[in-house]
Amino acid sequence: MFTEIMVPVDLRHAEKLAKTLTIAADLAQKYGARITYVGVTANVPSSIARNPEDYHEKLVQFAASQAAMHRLETRAHMIVADDPAVDLNHKLSQAVQELRADLVVMASHLPNVGDYVWSSHGGLLASHSKASVFLVRA
Amino acid sequence: MAEADESQGIPAPQGDTQLIDTDYEIGQDNLEGSVGPIGFDVHNPVFMVSALSIMAFVFYALALPEQASAVFGWLRPWLTSTFDWFFMSAADFFVLFCLFLIVSPWGKVRLGGKDAAPDYSYIGWFAMLFAAGMGIGLMFFGVLEPVYHMAISSPLGTPSPFDADGNIIPGNVDRAKAMGLAATIYHWGLHPWAIYAVVALALGLFSFNKGLPLTIRSAFYPIFGERIWGWTGHVIDILAVFATLFGLATSLGFGAQQANAGLNHVFGVPISITVQVILITIITGIALFSVLRGLDGGVKLLSEINMGIAAVLLLFVLLAGPTLAIFTDFGKGLWAYAKEIVPLSNPIGRTDDAYRDGWTAFYWAWWISWSPFVGMFIARVSRGRTVREFITCVLIIPSMVCVLWMAVFGGVAIDQVLSDPATSAVKAQVIDNYNPPLSLFAMLEGLPLSSITSVIAIVLVIVFFVTSSDSGSLVIDTITAGGKVDAPVPQRVFWATFEGAVAIVLLVGGGLSALQAMVISTGLPFTLVLLVMCWAILKGLRAEPR
């Protein structure tokens, strides 16, 4: 059914992703798919890393820890964005195509009135992506 | 088994840098949460103190407009006449400091690490350097300043080419023309770009090489150490927010006045504060769209559009005006600048108060106010350049473009004034009646197709306005989010709206003098910050592998 699962991760809030990560791992095991964890960073120091190399290292470690925990094949895919807060949606859509992902599993906040103005990242990705998108409510 | 996916083109290894070892984590002092559906991630207390102080100021100007107007009217001339020597000495120091860095062994240090490759090509980099720096100012002052300095402000005591009755004094013409351009180029050449270069270098060095957050306080780590994460750093960042916000609001005020004057000139729209307030509101609304589209989709795109339209207008004025004479004026102006830069930079023992206090001191304060904004923008696009390459280009390339702009716009205007003083609209709007926002349109009126070029000029003013507002919001948001560039987007919307509101209130509360008084008031303490920053840069560079 699925061979390539993409899981966007925000390493700043990795502790809030447990549910999403478990679901993604379960699906990957069920269908024998590979998971790619996608992280977006800027080229200036952030709360996670002091430069993109540093960020990449942390993302690879994260993917490795998930691989060990769930006995899966995983990859880490870093995206460097000039303006991560705004470019995120576009960059994630691009990543779906580049990675040839057929399923995206992604955490998304509970919808509220603000979504009429700023749609959630997951919502937008689902609207514009050819891949199936599984939004996991926080 | 996990593997790295290299398809995104991870930047090349950066080589040796001397990362500063600190336990501080970017965002550790931030307040994260949401107000209703709108999320926020702001530095505590930089965001609160800056926002509340500016709000208090805005309420004061609104509640007591007459008193505020009187205070601002007094404050500006008092500050420039009292501290002119300080602003001028500091600006001279920044130029010498930059020249020293170019020839010093630290010129070899590369921003982003010894092996870092530049993020942008030379052409893209040059375009962005220029787009960042001056914006609306070029539109507002391109005609006004050369004509004013030639005829009225008497830089270094240069006599006016007109007598009291408005007749030309032939013996004074050549020197006054050359000095008009030289005195203008002085304000738009090496000095402002040296100020920007200092801030940009500090931000680039301490962010890319030392791994500290992209805020002004990071540059002070070599001096204050871990204390920069406390109130010492808070004060520096708050000052930077004030300076940027009031510097921007001044530009927005100039832009609103000029757009209003242009609309009046072309379409007969009345000139009034009400129209300017409506203009600021509409244009801030457009800026919000750009803010929401981000750095690449908004700011960069609009900067490119700006550059294109500005180049077309420049080329048109160059070709429609006396082309050969403009090139001669450009050469003469540049030569006069080279010859007069030392006497013009001299801060003491001068009698040309109208020029020195009225213009130079204000400009230096204004550029210093803009420096966190332009500096941060330049820093973000300059990763991978050596210090020598960086300073040489930041000092020379944009200076030359500004000189060309002033020589073309000012040269044509001066030519119109001197060749036919009786009918010259520029003479009427700058020399006979001092009407700065109309000066550009008066010059265009003397050239063919003025109804079309005036509309293009209005569009250009508006687009410059939008780019200043949106890129300014990005910078203030980064500083008030403790150096985070990925804070929630609604925060930028807040700052863009806030900038528009401050510009409106200051215009209502006292016109341009209020805006200018605030620029100088915030520029003054920030000059001290920049002077200390030079010392910090030296300490930072000394520790870098070359």
Side-chain angles (χ1 to χ4, degrees):
Chain A
M1 184 84 71
F2 300 114
T3 55
E4 192 69 60
I5 301 176
M6 170 174 140
V7 182
V9 288
D10 182 350
L11 290 184
R12 288 175 306 173
H13 302 295
E15 73 286 351
K16 293 184 186 166
L17 291 173
K19 196 169 152 192
T20 308
L21 297 173
T22 309
I23 290 171
D26 289 350
L27 287 168
Q29 279 164 345
K30 178 167 172 58
Y31 297 110
R34 175 172 66 173
I35 297 185
T36 304
Y37 298 97
V38 174
V40 179
T41 187
N43 64 6
V44 295
S46 68
S47 47
I48 295 296
R50 299 176 114 186
N51 50 45
E53 288 76 9
D54 196 7
Y55 184 90
H56 187 246
E57 211 171 281
K58 287 184 175 162
L59 193 62
V60 170
Q61 274 173 13
F62 177 83
S65 70
Q66 290 296 314
M69 194 186 305
H70 301 287
R71 295 204 188 92
L72 288 169
E73 187 188 353
T74 66
R75 289 194 300 173
H77 180 81
M78 177 181 73
I79 299 171
V80 180
D82 289 336
D83 190 357
V86 171
D87 295 342
L88 187 69
N89 295 326
H90 176 64
K91 294 283 183 188
L92 287 182
S93 291
Q94 269 183 340
V96 173
Q97 289 180 350
E98 277 171 29
L99 297 171
R100 296 174 190 278
D102 40 22
L103 173 66
V104 179
V105 181
M106 184 172 180
S108 188
H109 64 76
L110 285 172
N112 58 38
V113 67
D115 288 291
Y116 289 103
V117 186
W118 281 284
S119 179
S120 66
H121 300 305
L124 262 175
L125 191 65
S127 308
H128 299 287
S129 172
K130 284 182 185 158
S132 304
V133 178
F134 186 158
L135 295 184
V136 182
R137 293 295 182 205
Chain B
M1 176 63 206
E3 61 185 68
D5 168 35
E6 304 287 337
S7 64
Q8 271 299 310
I10 295 156
Q14 299 181 294
D16 295 343
T17 53
Q18 186 257 330
L19 277 174
I20 285 178
D21 193 19
T22 172
D23 293 333
Y24 184 82
E25 257 185 38
I26 296 176
Q28 75 171 39
D29 294 331
N30 280 25
L31 294 175
E32 251 184 286
S34 59
V35 180
I38 296 174
F40 63 84
D41 183 358
V42 295
H43 187 278
N44 181 35
V46 171
F47 179 89
M48 290 308 259
V49 174
S50 331
L52 289 177
S53 316
I54 295 164
M55 273 183 201
F57 167 80
V58 164
F59 279 121
Y60 163 68
L62 270 183
L64 301 166
E66 279 174 22
Q67 190 194 10
S69 181
V71 169
F72 296 137
W74 164 83
L75 192 61
R76 193 212 137 149
W78 181 77
L79 283 170
T80 47
S81 58
T82 312
F83 294 103
D84 53 349
W85 63 272
F86 176 64
F87 284 122
M88 293 183 71
S89 312
D92 293 344
F93 175 77
F94 297 135
V95 174
L96 294 174
F97 179 70
C98 286
L99 295 177
F100 163 73
L101 284 183
I102 292 176
V103 296
S104 76
W106 301 307
K108 285 188 197 153
V109 171
R110 195 175 283 280
L111 295 179
K114 209 172 173 186
D115 303 327
D119 286 345
Y120 295 92
S121 70
Y122 270 116
I123 291 177
W125 188 47
F126 291 156
M128 283 188 279
L129 288 183
F130 172 70
M134 279 145 181
I136 289 172
L138 286 174
M139 302 297 291
F140 198 86
F141 292 104
V143 167
L144 174 71
E145 229 194 313
V147 174
Y148 194 84
H149 296 330
M150 172 195 74
I152 298 174
S153 62
S154 300
L156 299 175
T158 308
S160 169
F162 293 101
D163 63 18
D165 300 324
N167 301 311
I168 291 182
I169 309 166
N172 289 352
V173 168
D174 277 351
R175 170 139 176 84
K177 264 172 79 171
M179 184 54 91
L181 282 175
T184 308
I185 293 169
Y186 171 60
H187 291 155
W188 298 80
L190 295 177
H191 285 73
W193 290 98
I195 293 168
Y196 296 160
V198 165
V199 180
L201 178 61
L203 285 168
L205 180 68
F206 287 93
S207 200
F208 295 135
N209 295 42
K210 314 282 187 189
L212 298 184
L214 192 69
T215 64
I216 306 292
R217 72 172 81 197
S218 297
F220 293 87
Y221 193 91
I223 295 175
F224 298 116
E226 293 291 323
R227 274 179 294 165
I228 62 161
W229 311 124
W231 270 101
T232 312
H234 301 339
V235 170
I236 292 168
D237 278 352
I238 290 167
L239 273 177
V241 173
F242 283 174
T244 309
L245 196 108
F246 288 118
L248 267 170
T250 301
S251 287
L252 301 191
F254 282 139
Q257 288 203 337
Q258 197 173 25
N260 191 181
L263 290 172
N264 174 267
H265 184 74
V266 181
F267 302 111
V269 176
I271 292 183
S272 71
I273 293 282
T274 315
V275 173
Q276 289 163 21
V277 168
I278 293 170
L279 272 171
I280 294 181
T281 311
I282 293 173
I283 298 170
T284 301
I286 302 173
L288 289 180
F289 276 105
S290 171
V291 162
L292 293 175
R293 287 180 57 85
L295 197 61
D296 288 344
V299 181
K300 196 170 147 221
L301 184 72
L302 280 177
S303 293
E304 284 166 3
I305 294 174
N306 256 354
M307 292 282 292
I309 305 177
V312 168
L313 193 65
L314 184 76
L315 205 64
F316 172 81
V317 175
L318 179 68
L319 295 177
T323 314
L324 203 61
I326 293 172
F327 280 122
T328 316
D329 286 345
F330 175 69
K332 279 184 184 168
L334 209 54
W335 173 241
Y337 174 57
K339 223 168 54 173
E340 305 290 356
I341 185 168
V342 174
L344 284 171
S345 309
N346 170 25
I348 46 168
R350 282 166 62 175
T351 52
D352 55 351
D353 292 356
Y355 175 75
R356 199 182 69 257
D357 293 349
W359 291 82
T360 309
F362 166 67
Y363 266 121
W364 285 182
W366 191 23
W367 298 143
I368 286 168
S369 296
W370 270 76
S371 62
F373 160 43
V374 182
M376 190 174 285
F377 187 80
I378 295 179
R380 279 184 78 168
V381 298
S382 301
R383 188 171 177 271
R385 305 282 169 194
T386 64
V387 169
R388 184 166 296 138
E389 192 181 14
F390 171 81
I391 294 184
T392 310
C393 293
V394 172
L395 237 52
I396 306 295
I397 306 282
S399 290
M400 290 307 288
V401 177
C402 289
V403 171
L404 182 66
W405 182 278
M406 291 297 172
V408 172
F409 281 65
V412 170
I414 287 176
D415 182 71
Q416 289 172 352
V417 169
L418 292 175
S419 60
D420 192 1
T423 59
S424 163
V426 175
K427 183 168 181 290
Q429 299 298 348
V430 177
I431 300 174
D432 302 339
N433 304 296
Y434 185 58
N435 199 348
L438 264 183
S439 55
L440 171 68
F441 301 102
M443 184 275 286
L444 293 175
E445 201 182 298
L447 298 175
L449 304 172
S450 73
S451 52
I452 297 173
T453 51
S454 296
V455 174
I456 293 177
I458 297 171
V459 171
L460 200 52
V461 170
I462 291 173
V463 184
F464 266 130
F465 191 144
V466 173
T467 40
S468 299
S469 173
D470 62 6
S471 43
S473 317
L474 285 181
V475 168
I476 298 183
D477 181 40
T478 305
I479 299 175
T480 54
K484 277 191 173 184
V485 294
D486 54 356
V489 179
Q491 279 170 221
R492 297 178 192 179
V493 173
F494 168 78
W495 285 112
T497 315
F498 211 49
E499 279 153 26
V502 172
I504 286 173
V505 169
L506 288 180
L507 267 182
V508 174
L512 272 183
S513 66
L515 290 166
Q516 295 179 357
M518 284 319 295
V519 164
I520 299 164
S521 312
T522 50
L524 190 64
F526 206 67
T527 309
L528 275 177
V529 171
L530 294 200
L531 286 169
V532 181
M533 192 183 264
C534 292
W535 177 234
I537 290 175
L538 279 187
K539 290 188 90 165
L541 284 174
R542 270 169 49 193
E544 279 296 299
R546 296 195 288 276

